[in-house]
Amino acid sequence: MDAGHGAVGLAPSPCSAAEAFRAARRFADLSFGQIAYVERGVGDAALFLHGAPLNGFQWRGAMERLSAHRRCVAPDFMGLGYSRIPERQSLAADAQAAMLVALLDALAIPQVDIVASDSGGAVAQLLVVHHPERVRTLLLTNCDTEPNSPPPKVKPAIELARAAALADATAQWLTDKALARATFGAAVFRDPSRFADETIEYYAAPLVSSPLRRAQYHAFHLALEPNPLAGIEARLQHSKVPVRIVWGDGDDIFSPEDARYLDRTFPQSQGIRFVPGAKLFFPEEFPEVIAEEALRLWRLG
């Protein structure tokens, strides 16, 4: 994907987006394992939290547009992407939040603007509740809410993980890219035809690269139950963090009502921008929307 044009699958340049992102990947040695991350830009930091089964590559287009304004950091969650995690490490949302705090400490980052999607949005909400001093602002795209976590449409993936079959299903994407576009791509992108082969490879390959990684991919999904956000609403209602909500209104996993719930719940919400026809992972297709709204939230645009 050419991040500079905001498309999910334009013809790759001589140095493709995936190659460039791979070359920029670094690892932080933490007690949680070796956490993969990509960093671009300088100054005040912004932390980009991806969804499942993606990794930090989800945010390449937004990071390219925002790295002139922020030190942009996109880590890979434990159990997803390229992070290397010990066998018995918890992959639950609260452990993911604790890992992110340790990562920020390792990178000497005291406070961040968070941009988050999907299950990453759940972790972001936990950070707001448990570490409010670390969060300057919060931009949420389609993501979990306390009344809808995990959403019903994720339950089949959880059941596949319980049967130790999810990794096999995902591995099929690597040999049948058309299948990946017709199934996963159609569910999460407005235009799945532009879900590029190299993007599919970058997302799926690490998840099925070894027996341990397959087991952790399953464990990540099993850790989505019980609801990691249970009981969080009352604390979010006292949050002082400025929040902006940017929501794809064509998503049938997290509906517009989820966006309205967040808008009602956060007292410092600055409202909702609905993106017409956009689905769950629209930040890949429309990174310019993320950049525009982030700059507005950060009072730079």
Side-chain angles (χ1 to χ4, degrees):
M1 182 188 297
D2 184 340
H5 290 79
V8 176
L10 295 177
S13 59
C15 179
S16 72
E19 290 170 338
F21 212 80
R22 184 177 295 109
R25 188 189 309 143
R26 300 291 181 266
F27 292 90
D29 289 321
L30 307 178
S31 62
F32 298 89
Q34 293 181 306
I35 303 303
Y37 68 98
V38 168
E39 180 176 343
R40 291 177 177 163
V42 296
D44 290 339
L47 183 68
F48 293 79
L49 303 181
H50 64 82
L54 311 186
N55 53 57
F57 191 54
Q58 175 185 10
W59 298 108
R60 60 202 176 279
M63 290 173 70
E64 178 172 312
R65 289 163 172 79
L66 292 169
S67 59
H69 307 278
R70 286 290 188 269
R71 177 186 178 187
C72 298
V73 180
D76 291 354
F77 279 119
M78 297 184 293
L80 300 177
Y82 294 85
S83 290
R84 303 163 181 162
I85 307 304
E87 184 174 0
R88 292 179 177 80
Q89 170 61 48
S90 170
L91 306 181
D94 58 350
Q96 305 280 2
M99 176 275 289
L100 291 173
V101 171
L103 176 64
L104 295 180
D105 288 344
L107 298 179
I109 296 174
Q111 194 175 46
V112 289
D113 298 295
I114 296 179
V115 181
S117 169
D118 188 45
S119 52
V123 178
Q125 291 170 64
L126 292 175
L127 285 171
V128 166
V129 164
H130 297 298
H131 302 278
E133 74 285 353
R134 307 303 290 265
V135 184
R136 187 183 301 109
T137 65
L138 176 61
L139 191 157
L140 290 173
T141 71
N142 299 50
C143 68
D144 295 69
T145 61
E146 183 182 348
N148 189 25
S149 182
K153 291 221 167 184
V154 172
K155 296 296 181 71
I158 295 173
E159 291 308 312
L160 280 174
R162 187 166 286 117
L166 184 60
D168 288 341
T170 302
Q172 293 180 28
W173 301 355
L174 297 173
T175 55
D176 189 346
K177 304 298 196 303
L179 174 69
R181 282 183 274 271
T183 54
F184 177 75
V188 299
F189 296 122
R190 190 167 78 177
D191 183 3
S193 70
R194 305 184 79 180
F195 188 27
D197 286 1
E198 71 160 6
T199 307
I200 295 168
E201 290 272 354
Y202 200 92
Y203 287 147
L207 303 175
V208 299
S209 60
S210 71
L212 175 60
R213 289 307 318 273
R214 285 170 172 255
Q216 290 175 329
Y217 181 39
H218 295 150
F220 177 93
H221 284 82
L222 294 177
L224 297 176
E225 293 182 323
N227 183 354
L229 298 180
I232 200 174
E233 179 179 303
R235 298 185 68 177
L236 293 180
Q237 288 174 335
H238 292 91
S239 171
K240 297 179 181 179
V241 174
V243 177
R244 177 68 168 166
I245 301 156
V246 188
W247 215 262
D249 71 5
D251 184 13
D252 63 357
I253 301 171
F254 299 110
S255 75
E257 180 50 38
D258 289 311
R260 296 185 186 101
Y261 167 84
L262 292 168
D263 185 45
R264 293 192 304 269
T265 301
F266 279 102
Q268 299 301 317
S269 175
Q270 299 184 10
I272 308 167
R273 174 176 174 177
F274 286 111
V275 183
K279 296 188 177 183
L280 175 58
F281 292 136
F282 78 87
E284 291 211 30
E285 294 175 282
F286 309 112
E288 69 281 359
V289 173
I290 299 300
E292 178 183 334
E293 292 296 334
L295 292 175
R296 173 182 172 179
L297 179 62
W298 303 342
R299 300 186 177 183
L300 296 175

